[in-house]
Structures are given as C-alpha cells and as structure tokens.
Amino acid sequence: MKPVDGLKEIVKIIKLILSVLAVLIAFVLVLYLNPQIFQSKKTDPANWKPRSVLTDLEGESQASLINYGHEIITKTPEYIGPLSSDESMRFAGNNLTCQNCHLQAGTKPGSGSFVGVANRFPQFRGRENKMGTLQERINGCMERSMNGDTLSENSLEMNAIIAYIEWLSEDVPEDKVNTYKGFAKLVLPEEKADPLIGKSIYEQTCVVCHGADGQGLRLNENSLYQYPPLWGKDTYNDGAGMTRVITAAEFIKGNMPFLQATLENPVLTDAEAYHVAAYINSFDRPEKSNKEADFPDKKLKPVSTPYGPWTDTFSAEQHKYGPFQPIMAFYEKEFGLKKSK
C-alpha cells in the first residue's frame, strides 16, 4: 500500500469516528433536554393517574379489544345481559353493570378498582379453596353479583374484559397499589348492625338515588340504570360478596353518597355505613343455588357470611348482623385464624 493510500484510510477512519461521536453527542443532548422521552409512567408517580380509553389508547396494539372490554364493563346488560338483542349472549341475569360496583369503569379507589388487580393473579380464593385465575374471578362475579351464568374463558367478551383489566394494571406505581386495592378500611363497631338505624340513614342520604323502594332509577325497562337497585329481583344475589355486611359497609363508606364520598373523604361514619349495609341486606334478593358448597374449608368462611354452614355455634343472625368480634375471637382461639371480615 502506498503512503498516500494509507493516509486516506486513516482519514476515513477518523471521519467515521467523528460521525459516531456527533451522533452520540446529539443523542445525549436530546436526552438531556427531553428526559421524559425514556421515562415510563412508573418512574413519575407524582403525575400518574389511571388510564382512560378516552385519552390513552393511541398506539396500543390491542386498542380495539381493550375498548370493547370497557364497553362491556360500562354497558354490561347491552352486551352480555338481558338487554342484548342476541339471546345467546344474555349471560348476566340482572341489569346491573360491572361499574355499578367497580365505579368509574374500575378506576375509582375504594370501589374494588381494577387498577393493578391483574398483577395479583393467580390468587388463592377461600370460596373455592384453590388458586384461581382472573377469568375464574370474573365468572364468580357473573354468577353472583350479576346473578347469571359464566362466560366461556376463550370467548371474545372474556378476552376483552381481561385485556381491559390488564391494561389498567400496567405501570402502576408501587405507592399507588394499596390505594386502589379493595375497599375503604372500616373500624368495625362492637355492636350489632341495626337495619332500623340503617333505614333512617338511608332515608336521609340514599333515597334520592336508589328510591324508597330500593329499586334504583332508569328511564324504562329497556335502558341502563342511572342508579342501580339495591334489593329485589334485579340486583346481586344472596351469594354475592355484597351480602356480607362488613364488605358492603366498606364499599358504602368509601363511595356513598354517590359523587360525594371518596376514599380520602367519606361522608358517612363507619357506624353509619355499617347500619346502612344491614338495612340494604335485610331485604329479599335472588337466591344463589348450591351456596353450601362455598368455602370447602368452612374455617376460611368470612365471619359475616350470612349463610351456613359454619364451623362454630354462633347464630345465623349474628353471622349476618354481628356483633362480629366474638366470632373473630373464636376463630383466633380455636384455629389461630385472624379474621377481619
């Protein structure tokens, strides 16, 4: 190789190195001026909020499926319930929507939010005494809260609901997980929940939405409820979690009166929510068949489960209305189980 040719090669290499350095410098400069480009929601919890199909679906590979899941959650009777034009799709047995309990399409804290829930499955469920999938949990709601039949786990509708819940469960900051988990914390009154006291509170704070007869409000029998019924034939059955006074009281405390109470600023006291829950659950509702098969290990049954059998001698009335502390003390002494519900 001639000296001139060698020099040309060296110049080429130097130019290449300088080009690479220029690209790296530009990259670093862009990153310095725009650090948010590579930051996920998870790294900025101060500005984090639950996702919304109205603003956050752009660029999602499963956008159509996620949106369909949201539609089912918010308009359940029209897609998989009594209002569906396709009779084969009428899986739900009442006209509640999923968001009647999971408020704001499952994004409101203190209302059994879907935010982060997919990350907790598979999950042990005492009611079935086994590890259960998210699909099984949804079908539990279908049979109890929706008083209906299960969806096929491979159906488009099940996949859509799962896609929506999983989407809401992505990139949830650690310090937000507990905020969106479950219901409000309740300091359990050491007395029996009294439906008569609950009736008085209900008449002051709940009648305007749910009616004196507890049948809610909607334009006609072919429309969705603006406010859902709380008892009677078109609501959750007697095997649903909301029939447990403690669970219902936790939900009521964090969310009712509607659009007034929040998890951080409840309107009703713990005792008021407790008595209102007793009043609501003092009325008849659809019956769930085969409830005696729930909780194969009866020791794991929540103390406020209002239907037997139980592994104790407390009355059915005490299991329904309390006081619950003596029942809790029994299970801790006899079986070493600390129960809060």
Side-chain angles (χ1 to χ4, degrees):
M1 180 184 294
K2 296 179 180 179
V4 173
D5 292 335
L7 184 61
K8 287 180 179 179
E9 288 299 318
I10 293 172
V11 170
K12 284 181 181 179
I13 292 172
I14 292 173
K15 286 182 178 180
L16 179 62
I17 292 172
L18 290 174
S19 297
V20 172
L21 285 173
V23 171
L24 288 173
I25 291 169
F27 177 81
V28 171
L29 184 61
V30 169
L31 183 59
Y32 176 76
L33 295 175
N34 302 279
Q36 71 277 6
I37 291 175
F38 296 98
Q39 287 183 343
S40 69
K41 293 176 184 177
K42 203 168 185 177
T43 61
D44 189 15
N47 295 323
W48 178 90
K49 62 181 179 180
R51 291 174 172 177
S52 166
V53 296
L54 298 177
T55 57
D56 302 314
L57 274 180
E58 186 177 353
E60 289 288 343
S61 60
Q62 290 189 302
S64 178
L65 191 64
I66 293 167
N67 189 65
Y68 185 39
H70 176 269
E71 287 287 291
I72 295 171
I73 295 300
T74 56
K75 302 173 185 176
T76 315
E78 295 180 355
Y79 287 96
I80 57 172
L83 300 183
S84 174
S85 58
D86 183 350
E87 291 188 11
S88 68
M89 292 299 294
R90 295 175 183 173
F91 294 94
N94 58 37
N95 285 292
L96 299 182
T97 67
C98 298
Q99 76 166 352
N100 285 145
C101 288
H102 308 281
L103 300 178
Q104 297 175 7
T107 64
K108 184 178 186 294
S111 64
S113 170
F114 298 147
V115 175
V117 76
N119 304 326
R120 300 196 287 274
F121 282 85
Q123 182 184 85
F124 179 79
R125 299 282 298 168
R127 193 155 60 192
E128 293 79 28
N129 201 37
K130 70 181 186 71
M131 293 296 292
T133 64
L134 183 54
Q135 288 86 345
E136 289 172 321
R137 181 68 185 91
I138 290 167
N139 272 332
C141 281
M142 289 299 298
E143 290 185 303
R144 297 168 189 272
S145 298
M146 310 308 291
N147 190 38
D149 299 314
T150 59
L151 296 167
S152 166
E153 293 193 3
N154 297 316
S155 67
L156 174 62
E157 287 67 32
M158 176 64 83
N159 286 331
I161 295 170
I162 293 291
Y164 177 65
I165 294 174
E166 288 182 340
W167 183 65
L168 289 181
S169 298
E170 293 175 2
D171 297 325
V172 182
E174 272 188 45
D175 65 346
K176 300 291 184 181
V177 171
N178 287 334
T179 299
Y180 284 85
K181 185 178 181 180
F183 302 122
K185 302 300 181 185
L186 190 78
V187 178
L188 194 61
E190 295 191 19
E191 61 181 333
K192 176 181 177 181
D194 191 331
L196 290 179
I197 297 175
K199 179 182 180 182
S200 176
I201 300 165
Y202 180 92
E203 289 173 345
Q204 295 173 42
T205 62
C206 311
V207 164
V208 66
C209 293
H210 298 288
D213 60 359
Q215 298 311 291
L217 178 65
R218 61 175 173 168
L219 292 176
N220 56 61
E221 62 181 13
N222 294 313
S223 64
L224 298 176
Y225 283 104
Q226 183 178 359
Y227 303 107
L230 302 177
W231 60 81
K233 65 180 182 179
D234 207 25
T235 189
Y236 57 89
N237 66 38
D238 64 352
M242 281 294 175
T243 60
R244 300 198 292 264
V245 162
I246 297 175
T247 299
E250 290 175 337
F251 175 83
I252 291 166
K253 176 186 175 182
N255 300 288
M256 298 294 139
F258 187 58
L259 298 181
Q260 296 181 44
T262 65
L263 187 63
E264 299 81 10
N265 296 294
V267 173
L268 300 181
T269 67
D270 292 41
E272 287 171 334
Y274 182 65
H275 295 308
V276 169
Y279 177 65
I280 290 168
N281 282 310
S282 69
F283 291 94
D284 291 335
R285 58 187 63 255
E287 291 186 18
K288 169 74 171 65
S289 63
N290 201 33
K291 295 191 298 295
E292 62 276 6
D294 290 355
F295 299 94
D297 184 349
K298 303 304 179 191
K299 296 191 302 296
L300 301 182
K301 206 169 197 175
V303 297
S304 53
T305 305
Y307 55 87
W310 304 278
T311 51
D312 59 63
T313 58
F314 295 94
S315 69
E317 173 145 337
Q318 187 163 353
H319 274 288
K320 184 167 184 173
Y321 296 121
F324 297 106
Q325 285 83 355
I327 309 177
M328 293 172 176
F330 170 84
Y331 279 90
E332 184 169 6
K333 179 181 178 181
E334 294 297 319
F335 305 110
L337 296 173
K338 291 186 176 183
K339 298 191 177 190
S340 59
K341 289 189 179 182

